[in-house]
Amino acid sequence: MLDGLGADDIQRAIDQLPPQFRTTVQLSDVEGLSYAEIDEATGVAKGTVMSRLFRGRRQLQRALWDQAEAAGFTGGSKVHLDSGAEQKTGTNGVATVGKAPGGTR
């Protein structure tokens, strides 16, 4: 799905994140900084960095999915953002994500 989106689309989705999440995602996933380096650069405790990164990535995932859906790249598959999700490939070869059998992992 991300292959259909360009770097500009991804950066636009990052830019739309709330500032605290945007900064953390940018430093980690774009700049490649570690939790400790982000802690040092922002003055935010490591646990908060980890939380913001998790929440920022979730928001980014939703935004990118919405962009891909709007552009027709998703092929009708659905993404469930529950914990305990696992990826499956449907009969049409499109990867989908659904809840893992047996509840959360």
Side-chain angles (χ1 to χ4, degrees):
M1 174 202 64
L2 287 178
D3 292 339
L5 297 175
D8 290 341
D9 296 319
I10 295 168
Q11 187 61 53
R12 187 172 24 258
I14 291 171
D15 291 343
Q16 292 174 356
L17 291 172
Q20 69 274 22
F21 301 130
R22 178 177 56 241
T23 299
T24 306
V25 168
Q26 185 81 29
L27 291 173
S28 175
D29 297 340
V30 177
E31 302 295 327
L33 273 61
S34 69
Y35 296 144
E37 291 169 323
I38 297 169
D39 173 344
E40 187 176 316
T42 61
V44 174
K46 180 182 171 186
T48 303
V49 168
M50 293 168 65
S51 174
R52 288 181 180 180
L53 187 55
F54 174 81
R55 292 176 64 199
R57 285 175 175 165
R58 290 287 293 262
Q59 289 181 25
L60 182 59
Q61 180 184 25
R62 287 183 184 113
L64 291 173
W65 184 261
D66 290 346
Q67 283 186 25
E69 233 177 4
F73 294 135
T74 60
S77 61
K78 298 285 183 190
V79 169
H80 303 282
L81 299 175
D82 298 332
S83 61
E86 67 178 21
Q87 184 171 333
K88 297 179 181 178
T89 302
T91 55
N92 62 358
V94 175
T96 60
V97 176
K99 188 124 174 127
T104 60
R105 293 189 250 186

